[in-house]
């Protein structure tokens, strides 16, 4: 029976490999896939090009924009600060963010728990003015202030659920306030470093174009446009960092081993707080009767998925620049 299961697994992975090759041939997938069971890598395959001008191919070590997968790092960092006694889930955010971020009338109603669980009532910071602003304006989180401050409450905090990029960005501002460190530096030191994630950062992609997969947006005439200067591709506490399938595998191992946060903190992150399949910075799924945890990320030229299946210790990462 064990032999049959192994054979069946190998057959599935062989089918997956052929599927990736077919999708590459049709030019509908460009990216890298890794499947692991614990530390053991079961499958890894790359397709497409990281740079269409130079013709460089995607590889197992290509760095991709993660989109909203970054939210997992922000939430984990907040849980670290809570464990250190620097924060509490029930703290109102007015203790940490001033009126340049959000009016006190709103920030006095919102707690750390609300931001982590997307139950704050806040919405998004993406708009036409944001899209037209130069990327150089967003090298630090403070560059987002003017766009977060326009948020109003869609509902009273805690009474409903709505996915909020503004809420996650505010958590980044809170990390800066409490730690005294720049958000990106904090994540590098307290998430990437202990996890062994040596190819992950939030660097300006325009400074390192040869090391990352350029995100491509298909055009009606069959050509592709780069997403480098588009709003969703910009780095923030809500998304936009760069990593590899190997580094995200390392993040999963560090998280599961207790290297980053305690088991109690992890359980809080993996609890569905409002019945919308979301914990604290982690999406929660139930597929084929199996609990799955992780996050997805998507925007023009960005597509990413990170899944952990606790029962059999599977870790699956798909990163794409389409």
């Amino acid at each position: 029976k064990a032999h049959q299961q192994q054979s069946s697994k190998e057959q599935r992975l062989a089918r997956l490999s052929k599927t990736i090759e077919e999708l590459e041939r049709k030019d509908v997938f460009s990216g890298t896939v890794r499947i692991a069971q614990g530390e053991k890598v079961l499958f890894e395959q790359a397709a497409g090009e990281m740079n269409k001008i130079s013709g460089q191919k995607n590889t197992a070590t290509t760095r991709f924009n993660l989109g909203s997968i970054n939210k997992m790092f922000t939430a984990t960092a907040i849980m670290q600060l809570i464990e250190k006694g620097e924060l509490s889930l029930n703290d109102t955010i007015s203790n940490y963010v001033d009126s340049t971020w959000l009016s006190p009338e709103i920030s006095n109603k919102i707690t750390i728990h609300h931001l982590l669980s997307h139950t704050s009532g806040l919405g998004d910071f993406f708009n036409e003015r944001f899209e037209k602003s130069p990327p150089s304006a967003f090298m630090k989180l403070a560059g987002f202030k003017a766009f977060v401050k326009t948020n109003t409450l869609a509902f009273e905090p805690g009474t409903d659920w709505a996915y909020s990029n503004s809420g996650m960005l505010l958590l980044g501002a809170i990390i800066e306030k409490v730690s005294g460190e720049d958000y990106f530096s904090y994540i590098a030191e307290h998430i990437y470093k202990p996890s062994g994630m040596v190819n992950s950062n939030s660097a300006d992609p325009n400074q390192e174009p040869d090391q990352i997969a350029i995100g491509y947006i298909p055009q009606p005439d069959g050509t592709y446009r780069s997403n480098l200067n588009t709003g969703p591709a910009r780095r923030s506490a809500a998304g936009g960092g760069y990593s590899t399938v190997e580094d995200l595998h390392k993040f999963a191992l560090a998280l599961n081993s207790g290297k980053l946060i305690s088991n109690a903190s992890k359980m809080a992150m993996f609890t569905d707080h409002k019945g919308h399949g979301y914990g604290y910075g982690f999406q929660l799924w139930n597929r084929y009767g199996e609990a799955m945890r992780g996050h997805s990320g998507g925007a023009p030229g960005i597509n990413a998925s990170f899944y952990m299946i606790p029962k059999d210790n599977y870790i699956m990462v798909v990163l794409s620049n389409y």
Side-chain angles (χ1 to χ4, degrees):
K1 189 177 179 183
H3 174 72
Q4 286 176 335
Q5 286 177 335
Q6 184 62 27
S7 174
S8 173
K9 187 188 291 183
E10 287 169 358
Q11 287 169 357
R12 285 195 209 113
L13 294 176
R15 284 202 301 272
L16 174 59
S17 180
K18 285 182 179 173
T19 299
I20 291 169
E21 288 171 5
E22 181 66 18
L23 294 174
E24 181 181 23
R25 240 190 331 270
K26 292 177 178 175
D27 195 28
V28 292
F29 177 69
S30 174
T32 309
V33 179
R34 176 181 277 212
I35 299 174
Q37 189 165 26
E39 293 185 4
K40 185 182 179 185
V41 177
L42 302 176
F43 179 92
E44 191 164 78
Q45 191 164 322
E49 295 171 321
M50 64 182 281
N51 189 316
K52 291 187 180 295
I53 295 171
S54 68
Q56 278 176 283
K57 299 283 189 185
N58 284 320
T59 69
T61 58
T62 300
R63 289 164 53 216
F64 293 85
N65 191 311
L66 300 180
S68 286
I69 278 183
N70 262 70
K71 289 179 171 70
M72 298 187 301
F73 306 147
T74 300
T76 303
I78 286 285
M79 299 309 284
Q80 287 177 340
L81 292 169
I82 288 172
E83 287 184 9
K84 288 177 184 172
E86 307 274 352
L87 281 174
S88 166
L89 285 169
N90 297 319
D91 286 348
T92 54
I93 65 169
S94 57
N95 295 337
Y96 309 103
V97 294
D98 60 26
S99 58
T100 61
W101 277 105
L102 210 56
S103 73
E105 291 83 5
I106 294 177
S107 61
N108 278 322
K109 295 180 177 182
I110 298 171
T111 65
I112 303 288
H113 162 80
H114 293 145
L115 294 184
L116 283 168
S117 59
H118 293 291
T119 57
S120 68
L122 295 171
D124 241 319
F125 51 80
F126 298 123
N127 58 33
E128 194 176 343
R129 186 165 63 95
F130 173 76
E131 195 66 52
K132 288 180 177 177
S133 300
S136 58
F138 302 99
M139 294 315 292
K140 292 194 174 290
L141 285 193
F144 291 86
K145 281 184 178 182
F147 303 95
V148 172
K149 195 174 179 181
T150 59
N151 272 240
T152 55
L153 291 178
F155 51 82
E156 282 299 301
T159 64
D160 206 344
W161 188 94
Y163 192 76
S164 173
N165 282 301
S166 291
M168 277 288 163
L169 208 138
L170 284 169
L171 286 172
I174 291 166
I175 289 167
E176 290 191 335
K177 176 73 173 175
V178 172
S179 70
E181 296 178 49
D182 170 79
Y183 167 80
F184 304 109
S185 300
Y186 184 94
I187 297 300
E189 186 64 26
H190 300 277
I191 304 293
Y192 298 156
K193 192 175 176 181
S195 301
M197 298 166 71
V198 294
N199 290 309
S200 301
N201 65 34
S202 302
D204 175 6
N206 294 293
Q207 303 298 316
E208 303 179 69
D210 58 329
Q211 295 180 38
I212 67 152
I214 307 296
Y216 289 105
I217 306 165
Q219 304 300 294
D221 63 359
T223 60
Y224 286 92
R225 180 167 63 85
S226 159
N227 75 344
L228 274 188
N229 291 321
T230 60
R234 292 170 190 158
R235 64 180 197 161
S236 77
Y242 286 82
S243 190
T244 65
V245 292
E246 179 184 35
D247 271 12
L248 288 174
H249 179 197
K250 288 178 178 178
F251 170 72
L253 294 174
L255 184 70
N256 290 333
S257 70
K259 197 175 280 185
L260 300 175
I261 53 171
S262 70
N263 196 53
S265 292
K266 201 169 64 173
M267 288 304 101
M269 291 209 301
F270 297 160
T271 297
D272 189 343
H273 296 282
K274 206 68 181 173
H276 282 265
Y278 207 95
Y280 287 160
F282 278 78
Q283 292 170 319
L284 311 170
W285 301 272
N286 197 296
R287 301 274 166 86
Y288 312 111
E290 301 287 355
M292 295 170 64
R293 297 148 178 177
H295 217 291
S296 56
I302 301 166
N303 217 320
S305 294
F306 170 93
Y307 304 108
M308 299 183 295
I309 303 178
K311 183 175 174 246
D312 293 308
N313 204 13
Y314 282 119
I315 298 156
M316 297 179 280
V317 187
V318 184
L319 300 178
S320 173
N321 57 331
Y322 278 6

